[in-house]
Structure formats: C-alpha cells, structure tokens
Amino acid sequence: MLPERIGYIIWVSDLKSVKNLDRYGTVHYISKRLHYVVMYVNADRAEEVLKQLDKQFFVRKVERSYRNELKTEYTKNTEDKTHFYSM
C-alpha cells in the first residue's frame, strides 16, 4: 500500500541549490522561470521536513499544497440536452 503523501510548493532564490531538496522528498516539478519547486513528502515526516526546509538559505517560502483535499468526483446535475441536437 502506498504511504500518504503531502505536497509542498517551495519558493527558492537559487535554482542551483534545488538539487539538495532530493534528500527531503520527491521533487515533482521545478519552475525555472518562476523559481518554485513542487515536492511530495511522506505524511509521517512532513513536520520535521518542513522545519528543515525553513532553515535552508535558498528557501524563501514554503506553502502546503491542498490538492489532496480537493473534490475530484463530479456529478452531472443538469439534464442531458444532446437529444435536441440529434437528427
């Protein structure tokens, strides 16, 4: 079974130092233009990793990703109008 993961958006000042983030979790995406990194961390280590990330000199700000809490199951509440357009 897969462990629970938490996503972090890390705003950095130096892209050369982003290579050091691999030791804290899985780096998913690096934006070279906007200088941010999307990283996933195991939920049981999330708090201690957050404290360690705040101590790094190249980290400007760390935000938590709320993607896991978004509703991804959609329902269709309107009626189907395709029968009006069929021949």
Side-chain angles (χ1 to χ4, degrees), residues 2 5 12 17 21 27 32 35-36 42-43 46 51 60 68 87:
L2 296 174
R5 309 277 283 169
V12 296
S17 301
L21 293 178
V27 175
K32 293 180 181 173
H35 292 271
Y36 73 90
N42 288 343
K51 290 176 186 175
R60 284 191 282 151
N68 294 353
M87 293 187 180

Side-chain angles (χ1 to χ4, degrees), residues 3-83:
E4 184 71 25
R5 309 277 283 169
I6 294 179
Y8 286 120
I9 293 95
I10 304 164
W11 298 91
V12 296
S13 59
D14 184 21
L15 287 176
K16 290 182 181 178
S17 301
V18 170
K19 298 173 192 172
N20 295 333
L21 293 178
D22 282 336
R23 68 176 89 157
Y24 300 111
T26 304
V27 175
H28 180 70
Y29 179 74
I30 299 171
S31 172
K32 293 180 181 173
R33 186 170 67 92
L34 296 176
H35 292 271
Y36 73 90
V37 177
V38 177
M39 187 172 86
Y40 289 97
V41 179
N42 288 343
D44 55 349
R45 294 188 53 224
E47 292 300 321
E48 67 184 51
V49 168
L50 184 62
K51 290 176 186 175
Q52 292 174 353
L53 286 174
D54 284 333
K55 294 179 184 177
Q56 301 298 319
F57 69 93
F58 59 91
V59 174
R60 284 191 282 151
K61 183 170 66 169
V62 179
E63 297 176 0
R64 183 164 178 244
S65 173
Y66 294 103
R67 184 174 180 187
N68 294 353
E69 295 151 14
L70 291 176
K71 180 181 167 187
T72 57
E73 297 175 7
Y74 303 105
T75 59
K76 188 173 184 179
N77 293 332
T78 60
E79 64 181 69
D80 187 19
K81 296 182 181 180
T82 56
H83 66 278

